[in-house]
Amino acid sequence: MKVQLKKGLTSLAVLATAATILTSCGGSGGSGGSSSTYGKYQSSFITAEGFVNSLNSVDPISNPLNYIDKDEYETLRNDGRWFVYYDAEYDHEVAVDLNYLRSIQYWDYYSSNNNLAREFRDIQLDDEIDYGDIGDLYGDYYEPVDVAGYDYVLDEFIYEGVWSGELYEDETETTDTGLLAAQKEDNKLFEKASAYSVAFKLPVKKALELVTMEKEVKRMLESATEGSLLEADQKAITKNIEHFTGKTMAEFNEAKEDVSKREVLIEEISAHIGTPGSNLENVILPELLSIDL
């Protein structure tokens, strides 16, 4: 579905179509797949449990088992999808962002959780050589954690990131039904943003903007008259997309007429959003926003 904006502005795709595009962005990330072309793959839908099970599959038999201590719903560090597991290879608790695992690329003929696990082991070894410890130095994507305390109510340990200083503990519980409903809705948004982040190669923050925009457009459609959005809603969509891209519609229209301006526009939007220029040019603009340059 599209809305036609006034003053000759580009027709913009309703962001609800993103869900359709998402289904074509990858398989289940299991041990098999239909593709037989050798190249770079990702396990875009791997779970924390699936990752730890794959580590157990590829690790030496002499290692004790890796196991999950806290899944992604049991930590306060939910800007991503963090979980904590015992790493038998390094005999240490490790926190990992599930979004990061889903972004790791490896070479093979098909998507494979086990190959992801092997690639992660290689990354750990490289980091240990480079930094003297596993983790990405700042703890942005994964890091070892130490025990920082004990929650006597929940009867479990609280962990602290060695690199980041972030705490990994259960979220605060509440009995307020209104607040619980709001938290449940927020969790749905974060989960969808997590999927969009991987599928569309977007930072989580920008993916969350996309999900929020989609939700807002759906609300607008409910109040549309005979399929036409209200003028105020059309202006709101334009404003949201301009904020998302960091560019005005006038700049987009100018870029259509000038190749040099087009190249600069792609480069600047790519930096603003935090996605590769090719992804922006081939997916984000034409497929999600229906902006053709």
Side-chain angles (χ1 to χ4, degrees):
M1 291 178 288
K2 297 184 179 181
V3 294
Q4 184 65 44
L5 298 178
K6 294 186 177 182
K7 298 182 181 179
L9 296 181
T10 303
S11 177
L12 304 177
V14 173
L15 296 173
T17 58
T20 302
I21 299 168
L22 180 62
T23 61
S24 66
C25 290
S28 62
S31 58
S34 58
S35 174
S36 59
T37 302
Y38 187 71
K40 284 187 176 181
Y41 287 86
Q42 295 170 288
S43 296
S44 301
F45 298 93
I46 194 169
T47 62
E49 183 178 4
F51 170 70
V52 172
N53 288 340
S54 293
L55 283 181
N56 287 328
S57 296
V58 303
D59 280 351
I61 298 177
S62 58
N63 276 10
L65 289 178
N66 306 278
Y67 57 85
I68 294 177
D69 275 314
K70 292 176 177 289
D71 64 28
E72 61 266 37
Y73 303 105
E74 295 178 323
T75 70
L76 282 175
R77 193 174 183 183
N78 270 338
D79 52 332
R81 281 285 175 231
W82 290 84
F83 64 94
V84 177
Y85 76 98
Y86 171 72
D87 193 308
E89 180 75 11
Y90 292 92
D91 190 23
H92 209 292
E93 308 294 338
V94 176
V96 187
D97 185 350
L98 192 56
N99 288 333
Y100 166 64
L101 292 178
R102 290 170 175 171
S103 72
I104 292 176
Q105 294 183 329
Y106 46 84
W107 289 90
D108 203 344
Y109 287 97
Y110 51 80
S111 179
S112 165
N113 288 352
N114 283 359
N115 280 348
L116 169 63
R118 291 189 184 94
E119 186 68 23
F120 182 75
R121 285 299 188 212
D122 288 342
I123 291 172
Q124 285 182 308
L125 180 59
D126 289 342
D127 288 341
E128 184 181 28
I129 293 172
D130 290 340
Y131 309 129
D133 197 355
I134 57 174
D136 51 37
L137 188 60
Y138 300 105
D140 290 335
Y141 303 114
Y142 88 101
E143 63 177 340
V145 295
D146 291 330
V147 174
Y150 190 80
D151 189 322
Y152 289 94
V153 175
L154 298 176
D155 189 28
E156 61 183 31
F157 290 109
I158 298 171
Y159 296 104
E160 181 178 8
V162 171
W163 294 113
S164 70
E166 292 275 0
L167 292 178
Y168 300 89
E169 56 182 325
D170 278 1
E171 296 183 17
T172 303
E173 297 184 1
T174 178
T175 56
D176 187 308
T177 55
L179 184 57
L180 283 172
Q183 289 178 340
K184 186 176 181 180
E185 181 65 22
D186 284 344
N187 285 339
K188 288 182 180 178
L189 290 178
F190 278 117
E191 288 173 6
K192 182 176 285 189
S194 173
Y196 282 16
S197 175
V198 173
F200 304 133
K201 299 179 182 177
L202 290 169
V204 174
K205 182 179 179 181
K206 299 302 289 186
L208 189 57
E209 283 185 30
L210 192 65
V211 171
T212 304
M213 289 163 62
E214 176 187 344
K215 181 180 178 182
E216 184 65 11
V217 169
K218 287 181 178 179
R219 181 196 63 76
M220 293 175 180
L221 288 175
E222 293 175 357
S223 60
T225 304
E226 297 181 354
S228 299
L229 292 179
L230 300 175
E231 183 177 354
D233 287 342
Q234 293 180 12
K235 290 180 179 179
I237 292 175
T238 302
K239 184 177 180 181
N240 285 340
I241 291 179
E242 289 180 339
H243 174 76
F244 180 76
T245 61
K247 295 295 178 181
T248 65
M249 290 301 166
E251 289 175 291
F252 279 112
N253 287 333
E254 289 175 5
K256 285 185 177 182
E257 308 298 328
D258 189 320
V259 175
S260 61
K261 287 185 177 180
R262 181 183 183 278
E263 293 177 351
V264 172
L265 186 79
I266 293 294
E267 182 179 345
E268 291 179 349
I269 297 177
S270 176
H272 175 76
I273 293 179
T275 191
S278 58
N279 183 54
L280 174 71
E281 189 173 3
N282 299 326
V283 180
I284 303 299
L285 294 181
E287 299 293 343
L288 300 188
L289 306 182
S290 217
I291 298 177
D292 297 315
L293 296 177

